[in-house]
Amino acid sequence: MPGPGQPQFGWGAPPGGPKPPKKGRGGLIAVLVLVGVLLVGVTALKIVSAALKGDGDPSYASPTTTTSYSPTPEPSEEPSPSPTSSAPTVQPTTTRPTTQAPRPTASRTTTTAKPTTKPGPTDTDLVVRNRLYKAGAMASVNCKESKARQSTVAGARANYKNLLGCLNRAWAPLVTKAGGRFRGPNVRVFSGSVSTPCGTNSDSGPPFFCGTNDTIYMNLTEDIGNYNRYPQAYQKVWARMWMLHQFAHEYGHHIQNNMGILQAYSRIRYERETYAQELQDSRRLELQASCFSDIFIGANRRSYPITGQSLFQWRWLIGHVTDNANDHGDANNHQYWATRGYNARNPSVCNTFAASAAKVQ
C-alpha cells in the first residue's frame, strides 16, 4: 500500500472490444473483459522519454501513485525583520533635587488584538467541498484525434502529445476559476520497467500517475500491443478509445493533485482504522478520476469525434472493467460515474467523496 502522500494511480486494459452488432440482430454478447495490463507478444521496448511540455515533445513520469483495473478474458465477437537602529548616545547630566511630589501616573489597559487569519480548509473540505465542484461546465477546446496511429512508438507519442495539449487547454480555465494555479503535468512513456519517486513499475501493469513528481506514465507496451494484436477494424477502434480514456483518467489524477484532493485523500486514508475503509477511499479517488476523464471526452465528443463505432466502443469499455483488488470500483459503478461526467461535462457531478457507499463499491 502506498504511504501517505506517495500514491500511484492507474488502471489496466481488457484485451479488446466487442464486435459491433450486425444489422437485423439485437444486442451485444457481453463478456467479462480483462482490464489489467497483460500484454503478451509485444517486443520489449526500451524506456522512451521525450518532453511533451514546452517544445511540444512528450516528456513522461508520479507524487502518490494510482493503480488500475486488472484484465479479464477476451470478449467474444459480438485534482523582514524591521531594521534595527542603534540607540543614540546621551551625554550624562546633573540632576537637581526637587521638593515637588511626583505626579501619579495613570495605569493603561492592554487589549489583545483578535486574529484576522481564518483557518485553511480541512482535508474533508478539500475532498467533499472542493471549489472545483463549483467551477462550472467544461467547454469544448475543439480537440481532434491525432491522425497518427499507435501501431509504433512514434504514433503512440504523437497521440499522447496531442491529448496533453487538449487536456491542458480544457482544464486550465476550470482550475483557475476554482482558485487554483494551473500547471500541466509531466508525461513519460515507458516499456519494460520504469523507476519513479513512487516506486518501480513494469509494463505488465497499467499506465499510472505519480503525485510526487506530478507525472503521468504511459505504457507503450500496452497501447502499441492493444492496437497491433487484433486485425479487425473495430478492435483497433477499441484500442484507440482505450488509450484515450486511460490518458484522460491519469490526467484526472493530475487535476486531483492540482486541487489538493490527492494530498487530502492520502492523509485521510493514512488515518483510517481498517483496510476496508482505505479501499473505499481508493475507490472514491479512482472513480472520480474516471468521471473527470469523461468530462473531457464528453466536452469534445463532436470534434474528436466520439460517434459511430468510437461511441460504441467507448460505451462498451466503460462498462466492462474488473476490479480484482477492490480498490477502483466495479463495472456498474465505473459506468455510472463515467457516464455522469460524459453527459454533464461538469466537475459538480464527480463528487464521489460525498456519494453513498453503494455508489463507490
Side-chain angles (χ1 to χ4, degrees), residues 160-183:
Y160 303 149
K161 175 182 177 181
N162 179 62
L163 285 172
L164 180 63
C166 289
L167 283 155
N168 284 344
R169 296 196 307 274
W171 278 105
L174 295 187
V175 171
T176 302
K177 188 174 181 179
R181 180 177 295 178
F182 178 81
R183 63 183 183 275

Side-chain angles (χ1 to χ4, degrees), residues 263-297:
Q263 298 88 333
Y265 149 83
S266 297
R267 293 188 292 266
I268 289 171
R269 178 171 177 170
Y270 183 73
E271 297 296 332
R272 292 302 191 191
E273 295 182 357
T274 68
Y275 187 52
Q277 291 173 322
E278 292 180 27
L279 287 175
Q280 185 181 95
D281 290 333
S282 177
R283 293 192 296 271
R284 292 184 188 279
L285 187 81
E286 296 295 340
L287 290 169
Q288 183 178 77
S290 280
C291 187
F292 285 174
S293 168
D294 292 291
I295 285 177
F296 168 76
I297 295 174

Side-chain angles (χ1 to χ4, degrees), residues 104-118:
T105 57
S107 61
R108 297 180 181 179
T109 57
T110 302
T111 57
T112 303
K114 295 182 179 180
T116 57
T117 304
K118 293 182 179 180

